[in-house]
Every structure is written in structure tokens, then in C-alpha cells.
Amino acid sequence: MKKNLKKALIFLSVYYAYMLEYRSELILWVLSGSLPIIMMGVWVQAAEGGIFGLEPVDFARYFFAVFLARQISVVWVIYEFEKEVVEGKLSPKLLQPIDPVWHDVAYHAAERLARIPFILLLSMLFFVLYPQAFWLPSIANLLLFILAGIMAFALRFIMQYTFAMFAFWTERATALENLWFLFFLFLSGLIAPLDVFPEDVRNIVMLTPFPYIIDFPARILVGLPVDLTRGFLSILGWFLIFLGANRVLWRLGLKKYSGMGA
């Protein structure tokens, strides 16, 4: 256990130092996740002239929580993995006595840590510009949000990493991710709260993994009604499904892999 912990800390320190070398790029990554703030303005205006079950301030708080959830769950592993397979850069990692996925996990975890100062600055700016939306979540909701956010990141990561396995058979595995992202964009709560969906549509959407990545943790933080048991079990269930598919595709893909660019 101590040996594994030491390896994890080394991985994190290395990738954290790497991320600090690209602070300006990191700022752009954080700002690129500001779509929820833009959508907040749209829905706040709509709520002032319509009936959606949420007040304008509720929309503001919801989309701020969505912004935070999005910052935690953003993943890009498929782009790195596809490049490594196509260029043959995966080969050196296969020689190491550790699954290559842990490089990507550490990379993403370190990037989350490096994002924190910029997220805090943007959060303060948000409440300065929209002070009526300020609120303090309860300790319980905050802790549950952190747990849900970490689990949502794990689900989003394994989903994208599973699609990345198709890089063993095609040079454009990212095309699958781009198609999947369209569903994620509209069904996760990133564009609109699930409360504004017709009930029949919402019930169908809740059977997919998308709302548990963004909408679920956001609702917890804001304090909106949410089924905690169903949410956490759904994340766990979908994670195990994609993990199983990932391991099968990994084994089949390694038999196909020939170090094309090596």
C-alpha cells in the first residue's frame, strides 16, 4: 500500500509540475468551460417572462453549480490516447510495470488541482457581478457534491477511455467521442436543467448516464430535490458497465496494436 501511494504521489507531482508550465493555456481551458454561465443568462431572462418551476435566482445558482461540476468532470483522454496509438508512443508505456491508464488518471487529477485558483477567481467574479445569487450550501450538500463530482469524473473518464480503445482499429476514434458529446451536451443539464424537459422525456433521460455527470452533482450543491440513492447507484452501475467493456476492448486492442508510428 505504501509503495502504491508513493507511486501515486510521484505521478501527481510530476504531472502537476507539468501543468504549471502551461498556466496561460490552463486559463483558456477553464474559460472554455464557461458555457453554463452563458446559458444562465439565457434561462434567467426566460424565467422572468415564463413559468419553468424555477425562479431566476434558482437558474443562476443552478448554472453556477453546473459550471463547477463541468470543471471537475472535463476529460480529454481520448485525444491523448489516439495520438499515442497512431504515433506508436504507447509502446514505451507498455514496457512499464504499470497500466498506462494511470498516467492519464494522474494527468487529469493534477490538472484539476492546477485549476482550483482560476475557478476560485471566476467564482468570486460571478458573485460580484450577480450578488443576489450568492448562497452558502450546507456542509452536507457540499461534501455530497464533492463525492458526486469525483464519481462523475470517474464515469466520464471511463466512458471516454472506452471510446479511446477504438483507436486500435481506426485513426479517428475521436469521431465517436464527438458524436457522443452531442448527446452529453443536451441531456446532461449543461444546456438546460432537466426540470424544463417534459416528464416523459425526463424519465427516459434519467435512464442514460448523462444527467448523473452534470445535473446530479449540480442539484445536490444547490439543494434542489434529488434522489441521492438512485443517483449514486446509477453512477456506479454505469461505471462498472463501461469498465467491463473497456477491459475487453483493451485486451482485444493490444492484440491488434503494432506500434504503427514506432
Side-chain angles (χ1 to χ4, degrees):
M1 180 63 71
K2 291 183 178 180
K3 188 176 182 180
N4 291 334
L5 180 60
K6 184 178 180 180
K7 290 180 180 178
L9 292 176
I10 291 175
F11 267 45
L12 281 174
S13 61
V14 169
Y15 283 108
Y16 182 73
Y18 175 77
M19 290 306 308
L20 292 181
E21 294 181 3
Y22 299 93
R23 292 185 183 89
S24 58
E25 184 177 357
L26 188 59
I27 294 175
L28 294 177
W29 288 354
V30 174
L31 292 176
S32 68
S34 299
L35 175 62
I37 305 300
I38 298 174
M39 297 309 303
M40 179 203 74
V42 174
W43 282 104
V44 166
Q45 290 297 319
E48 292 176 352
I51 302 175
F52 295 98
L54 294 175
E55 297 296 326
V57 68
D58 294 325
F59 276 107
R61 292 172 179 173
Y62 172 82
F63 278 106
F64 174 73
V66 167
F67 166 75
L68 296 181
R70 176 63 176 151
Q71 295 298 324
I72 296 173
S73 62
V74 64
V75 174
W76 65 88
V77 63
I78 190 171
Y79 302 98
E80 295 292 331
F81 189 84
E82 180 185 81
K83 181 179 179 181
E84 289 176 352
V85 172
V86 172
E87 297 181 0
K89 294 181 179 179
L90 180 63
S91 300
K93 290 185 177 180
L94 293 176
L95 298 176
Q96 299 175 6
I98 188 172
D99 192 312
V101 69
W102 294 111
H103 285 274
D104 296 302
V105 171
Y107 190 9
H108 282 69
E111 195 267 353
R112 292 308 103 95
L113 294 175
R115 275 177 184 250
I116 292 177
F118 305 111
I119 295 174
L120 292 176
L121 287 174
L122 287 177
S123 297
M124 289 188 290
L125 179 61
F126 171 82
F127 289 120
V128 168
L129 297 177
Y130 202 80
Q132 57 267 46
F134 181 79
W135 92 106
L136 291 175
S138 67
I139 298 298
N141 283 354
L142 181 60
L143 294 177
L144 286 172
F145 168 76
I146 294 173
L147 175 61
I150 293 174
M151 292 180 65
F153 162 72
L155 176 57
R156 182 77 178 103
F157 183 91
I158 196 63
M159 287 166 59
Q160 194 176 105
Y161 192 58
T162 300
F163 289 128
M165 295 299 103
F166 287 97
F168 288 119
W169 292 274
T170 174
E171 295 182 3
R172 291 294 177 265
T174 50
L176 292 173
E177 166 62 18
N178 293 335
L179 176 62
W180 187 261
F181 185 74
L182 291 177
F183 293 96
F184 171 78
L185 191 63
F186 290 98
L187 303 181
S188 66
L190 196 60
I191 296 295
L194 299 188
D195 299 83
V196 304
F197 286 27
E199 185 176 357
D200 292 339
V201 175
R202 185 166 62 247
N203 290 336
I204 295 175
V205 172
M206 295 304 293
L207 297 176
T208 70
F210 304 112
Y212 303 105
I213 299 175
I214 298 294
D215 183 79
F216 177 63
R219 295 177 73 87
I220 292 176
L221 184 63
V222 176
L224 294 174
V226 62
D227 189 336
L228 293 174
T229 302
R230 177 178 180 177
F232 284 114
L233 288 179
S234 295
I235 294 177
L236 180 60
W238 280 109
F239 178 86
L240 293 176
I241 290 173
F242 277 96
L243 179 62
N246 178 274
R247 293 298 85 186
V248 171
L249 292 173
W250 170 256
R251 293 187 181 92
L252 295 176
L254 286 181
K255 295 178 181 179
K256 181 75 174 179
Y257 179 65
S258 59
M260 288 178 281

